[in-house]
């Protein structure tokens, strides 16, 4: 599969490399591996507990490395682009900062999430805590070899350094505490980590069940990546909030507040020294979201999927984000507040237009039917009158 992927990457480099200068080999590979081969929630829907996800991730990492080397050896000199990978991870905060076990559990959470893929690329091998934990539990479960695959010395050298930038996707935060799962429960990603994820009930709740607005976690994750992996260039590839209500609502104040909080924490991380090169909000349009389909809406633009031409309507966050991009940050509180008020004013008008859309559509249909019908009747009546007139004259 790694070789097939390299062939595919080469085709893309050849076809688009004259215009595309930033390449992401894989986006959120942890979810691909965990939900595709552990829980079965995503394609291909396999439930190979404690084994499938590690094997899938192993081959994803090797495929990424092959694609990077293909670009580096064949295309970089003539195209001058960059190749990286995009890894999604929430921040893990210890429940009790005075408890060493909670601190270790939070560190373990990050290594099983971000380090799982980043460590081989930046250090040449899986995090030591993953090798130790999974190796010990595998032995306790009577297995001769660890469930976590092993890179050869040649593979370690080949994989290490295969990233011109680190893509980071981040949405929310979890509190982490220690919990020991007996090995007799059987192999699984959850029991390998020996921890529990918790949320603060006071955190603002956003549409999706798993998503809470915790901006301070973003800054901590960015600083963690900066120190853990040698200050790599970082592109934030995903960060956003989903629809709060299951209805058409263009005045998405919660998304504006989310953007304001998270972008502000990213700017603080830049001041801390994180080498952040770019930021991409998730997402431009409402679109297909994994197994959730079109039900979770993250877009700046509302898309009416029920209509054939899929019309798009700007939400309030569009106006706010335009101002944010133009200013490249937050100029002063008064101006930022004016962005917010202007965005809500425009979205109110758009909401009225959207509410009137069914009536306008009905009027359009009526126009399309009535006008041709009336014209046809007029022609027929005129023809009859003409016939009568000609008959009377004759």
């Amino acid at each position: 599969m790694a070789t097939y992927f390299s062939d595919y990457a080469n085709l893309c480099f050849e076809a688009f490399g004259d215009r595309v200068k930033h390449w992401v080999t894989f986006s959120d590979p942890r979810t691909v591996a965990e939900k595709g081969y552990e829980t079965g929630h995503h394609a291909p829907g396999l439930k190979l507990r404690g084994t499938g996800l590690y094997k899938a991730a192993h081959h994803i990492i090797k495929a990424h490395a092959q694609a990077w080397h293909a670009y580096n050896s064949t295309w970089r000199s003539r195209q001058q682009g960059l190749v990286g990978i995009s890894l999604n991870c929430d921040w893990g905060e210890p429940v009790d900062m005075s408890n060493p076990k909670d601190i270790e559990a939070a560190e373990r959470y990050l290594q099983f999430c971000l380090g799982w893929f980043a460590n081989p690329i930046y250090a040449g091998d899986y995090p030591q805590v993953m090798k130790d934990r999974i190796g010990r539990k595998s032995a306790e479960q009577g297995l001769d070899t660890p469930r976590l695959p092993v890179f050869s010395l040649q593979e370690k050298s080949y994989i290490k350094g295969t990233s011109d930038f680190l893509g980071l996707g981040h949405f929310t935060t979890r509190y982490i505490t220690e919990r020991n799962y007996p090995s007799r429960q059987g192999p699984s990603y959850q029991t390998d980590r020996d921890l529990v994820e918790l949320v603060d009930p006071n955190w603002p709740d956003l549409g999706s069940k798993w998503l809470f607005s915790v901006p301070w976690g973003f800054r901590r994750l960015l600083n963690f990546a900066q120190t853990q992996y040698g200050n790599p260039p970082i592109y934030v590839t995903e960060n956003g909030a989903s629809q709060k209500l299951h209805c058409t609502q263009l005045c998405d104040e919660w998304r504006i507040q989310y953007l304001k909080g998270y972008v502000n924490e990213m700017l603080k991380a830049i001041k801390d020294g994180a080498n952040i090169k770019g930021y991409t909000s998730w997402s431009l349009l409402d679109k297909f979201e994994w197994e959730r389909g079109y039900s979770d809406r993250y877009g700046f633009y509302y898309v009416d999927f029920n209509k054939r031409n899929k019309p798009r309507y700007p939400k309030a966050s569009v106006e706010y984000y335009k101002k944010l991009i133009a200013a490249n940050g937050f100029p002063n509180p008064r101006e930022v507040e004016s962005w917010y008020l202007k965005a809500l004013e425009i979205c109110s008008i758009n909401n009225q237009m959207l509410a009137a859309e069914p009536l306008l559509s009905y009027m359009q249909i009526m126009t399309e039917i009535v006008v041709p019908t009336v014209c046809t009747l007029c022609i027929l009546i005129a023809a009859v009158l003409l016939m009568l007139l000609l008959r009377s004259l004759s």
Side-chain angles (χ1 to χ4, degrees), residues 227-355:
T227 55
Q228 189 82 8
Y229 306 117
N231 195 29
I234 295 173
Y235 286 87
V236 177
T237 47
E238 296 182 31
N239 176 243
S242 56
Q243 188 84 0
K244 197 169 186 179
L245 301 172
H246 295 289
C247 64
T248 306
Q249 193 173 44
L250 301 182
C251 295
D252 53 349
E253 302 98 323
W254 69 91
R255 185 174 284 109
I256 290 174
Q257 295 302 328
Y258 181 97
L259 273 171
K260 182 180 178 182
Y262 275 76
V263 170
N264 197 40
E265 290 298 317
M266 179 181 65
L267 295 173
K268 291 177 185 176
I270 291 172
K271 286 190 174 182
D272 295 337
N275 187 16
I276 299 166
K277 296 294 188 181
Y279 171 88
T280 306
S281 189
W282 193 266
S283 58
L284 177 65
L285 304 170
D286 291 337
K287 57 180 187 56
F288 193 85
E289 293 285 347
W290 295 103
E291 80 278 15
R292 299 294 298 170
Y294 297 104
S295 61
D296 283 8
R297 295 176 175 269
Y298 286 83
F300 286 122
Y301 285 82
Y302 174 84
V303 180
D304 190 344
F305 295 110
N306 295 318
K307 293 184 179 175
R308 188 175 180 179
N309 62 343
K310 308 293 184 289
R312 305 163 183 182
Y313 304 90
K315 302 174 187 177
S317 51
V318 168
E319 184 66 23
Y320 188 87
Y321 195 50
K322 279 181 182 178
K323 300 290 188 184
L324 177 57
I325 292 171
N328 200 32
F330 302 103
N332 59 71
R334 180 176 294 178
E335 188 170 348
V336 173
E337 180 64 19
S338 73
W339 297 352
Y340 178 73
L341 296 175
K342 182 68 175 176
L344 294 185
E345 179 185 336
I346 291 175
C347 84
S348 296
I349 297 169
N350 290 337
N351 257 339
Q352 292 171 15
M353 292 175 62
L354 185 57

Side-chain angles (χ1 to χ4, degrees), residues 4-5 22-23 44 88 94 102 116 180 185 195 199 205-206 213 234 276 288 379 385 390:
Y4 291 150
F5 184 80
H22 293 78
W23 295 92
N88 280 33
D102 280 1
W116 182 8
N180 289 313
Q185 287 190 6
L195 55 86
V199 298
D205 180 15
L206 303 170
S213 182
I234 295 173
I276 299 166
F288 193 85
I379 293 169
L385 290 173
L390 291 172

Side-chain angles (χ1 to χ4, degrees), residues 133-142 147 180-188 191-192 194:
R133 287 266 165 173
I134 299 169
R136 176 174 58 79
K137 295 217 171 198
S138 298
E140 291 172 354
Q141 288 156 357
R147 288 179 281 104
N180 289 313
Y181 293 95
S183 296
R184 64 176 179 273
Q185 287 190 6
S188 77
T191 57
D192 285 340
D194 280 333

Side-chain angles (χ1 to χ4, degrees), residues 94 96-108 176 178:
D96 184 356
M97 288 296 293
S98 65
N99 186 341
K101 288 189 175 181
D102 280 1
I103 295 173
E104 288 175 14
E107 171 72 19
R108 194 161 61 248
I176 307 297
E178 168 95 3

